[in-house]
C-alpha cells in the first residue's frame, strides 16, 4: 500500500529517468541477464551484447512504460492493459522473472543515486515495482 | 563444492576488504527492517523499531549488523567450504532462532543494494553477478540444516 508521499517520490524519480531511459533500461537488463542467466532465454531474438542498439531500445521501452505508470499509480490497471495482454498471450514470460528485473532496476537506481537511494526511497520503489509486476501478470490466468 | 573463477574470488575479497563492517552491517540490516517490515518479527527485544530513524539509531540494530557482517567474513575467508563453515550457524538459525530462510535472501538483497549504492559505477553487472553468486552460496549453506 503506497502512501501519497511515496507516490510523489516514485513519480519524481521516474520523471528524472525518462531522458536516460535507454541507459538505465539497458543497464538493468544487462545486470539481470548477467546475474540470472536463465532470463537470457527470453531474448534469443535480440543482440544482447552490452550497449547494443537493441538492448538500448528495449531498455528504453521498459523504462518509459514504468515512468508512464508512475505518473498516475492508481490508474495502473488501465495504463498497463495493453502490456498485460502482450505478456500473457504473446510473450508468456514466467512472472517470477518480473521480480528479478525489478531487483536489477533497484540495483541500477542504487548505483546511480548512491546515498540518495535511502531505505525509505528503496521501500517505496520496491512496493511500486511489486505492484507493477503483479498488475502485469494479472491476465496470465 | 562451488567452482569460483579467479575474477569471482578477487571480486569478493576486494569488495569485503574495502567494506567498513560496522557501517555496512547497520545499513543493510536497517534497510531490511524498513523495506521488509515483517523481518522485525525476529527482533522483538530490540526496543524501538517504530520508524526508519528509530531503526537507524537503535544500538541493538547496529550491534547485530556487525555480528552479521563478521559472520559473512567467515565465508569470505573460507570460500572453498562455505557449507562446512556455516553448518553450526545453520543449526542455530533453524533450531534456536527459527528464522524463515526466505529472510536470508531478503537481507542478502539489501546488502547488495547497500554495496551498489557505495560502489556506484564500479558495481558493474559482472561484479554484481559475482557478489550475488557468493551471497546465494551463503544463503544456501545457511538453509542446509533446516529439516
Amino acid at each position: 500500500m503506497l502512501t501519497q508521499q511515496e507516490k510523489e517520490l516514485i513519480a519524481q524519480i521516474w520523471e528524472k529517468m525518462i531522458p536516460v531511459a535507454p541507459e538505465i533500461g539497458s543497464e538493468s537488463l544487462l545486470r539481470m541477464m548477467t546475474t540470472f542467466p536463465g532470463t537470457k532465454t527470453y531474448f534469443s531474438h535480440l543482440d544482447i551484447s552490452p550497449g547494443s542498439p537493441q538492448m538500448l531500445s528495449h531498455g528504453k521501452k521498459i523504462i518509459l512504460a514504468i515512468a508512464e505508470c508512475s505518473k498516475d499509480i492508481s490508474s495502473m490497471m488501465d495504463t498497463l492493459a495493453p502490456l498485460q495482454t502482450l505478456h500473457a498471450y504473446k510473450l508468456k514470460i514466467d512472472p517470477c522473472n518480473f521480480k528479478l528485473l525489478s531487483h536489477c532496476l533497484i540495483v541500477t537506481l542504487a548505483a546511480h543515486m548512491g546515498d540518495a537511494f535511502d531505505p525509505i526511497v528503496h521501500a517505496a520503489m520496491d512496493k511500486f515495482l511489486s505492484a507493477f509486476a503483479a498488475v502485469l501478470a494479472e491476465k496470465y490466468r | 563444492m562451488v567452482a569460483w573463477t579467479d575474477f569471482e574470488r578477487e571480486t569478493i575479497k576486494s569488495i569485503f576488504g574495502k567494506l567498513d563492517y560496522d557501517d555496512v552491517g547497520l545499513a543493510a540490516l536497517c534497510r531490511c527492517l524498513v523495506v521488509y517490515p515483517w523481518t522485525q518479527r525476529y527482533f522483538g527485544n530490540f526496543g524501538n523499531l517504530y520508524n526508519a530513524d528509530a531503526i537507524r539509531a537503535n544500538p541493538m540494530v547496529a550491534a547485530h549488523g556487525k555480528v552479521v557482517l563478521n559472520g559473512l567474513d567467515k565465508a569470505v575467508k573460507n570460500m572453498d567450504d562455505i557449507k562446512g563453515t556455516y553448518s553450526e550457524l545453520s543449526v542455530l538459525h533453524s533450531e534456536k532462532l527459527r528464522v524463515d530462510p526466505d529472510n536470508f535472501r531478503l537481507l542478502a538483497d539489501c546488502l547488495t543494494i547497500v554495496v551498489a549504492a557505495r560502489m556506484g559505477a564500479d558495481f558493474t553487472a559482472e561484479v554484481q553477478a559475482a557478489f550475488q553468486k557468493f551471497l546465494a552460496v551463503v544463503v544456501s549453506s545457511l538453509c542446509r540444516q533446516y529439516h
Side-chain angles (χ1 to χ4, degrees), chain A residues 27 30-32 34-36 50 99 103-104 106-107 110-115 117-120 122-123 126-127, chain B residues 27 30-31 34-36 52 56 105 109-110 112-113 116-121 123-126 128-129 132-133:
Chain A
E27 183 182 326
L30 177 66
R31 286 185 183 283
M32 180 186 73
T34 313
T35 300
F36 309 108
K99 230 179 283 187
H103 170 73
C104 290
I106 286 178
V107 171
H112 285 263
M113 291 174 65
D115 286 340
F117 196 71
D118 67 28
I120 307 265
H122 179 172
D126 194 74
K127 286 198 274 185
Chain B
C30 171
R31 196 168 281 260
V34 170
V35 178
Y36 308 112
R56 202 175 296 128
R105 191 187 53 77
D109 282 351
C110 286
T112 302
I113 306 300
R118 297 268 190 289
M119 289 180 67
F123 198 67
T124 63
E126 287 78 17
Q128 179 186 347
Q132 295 212 218
K133 176 177 167 177

Side-chain angles (χ1 to χ4, degrees), chain A residues 14-26 56-72 79-80 83 105 128 132:
Chain A
W14 288 110
E15 180 71 36
K16 289 199 201 116
M17 295 298 142
I18 292 173
V20 285
E23 289 74 23
I24 296 293
S26 62
L56 288 164
S57 139
H58 198 71
K60 179 180 172 183
K61 253 189 260 184
I62 295 174
I63 300 301
L64 292 184
I66 296 174
E68 190 57 36
C69 275
S70 75
K71 290 178 189 159
D72 185 3
T79 316
L80 283 179
L83 282 172
L105 277 160
F128 168 65
F132 185 96

Side-chain angles (χ1 to χ4, degrees), chain B residues 96-108:
Chain B
K96 189 170 172 227
L97 305 175
R98 297 191 200 255
V99 178
D100 178 341
D102 193 56
N103 291 281
F104 305 147
R105 191 187 53 77
L106 296 179
L107 182 55

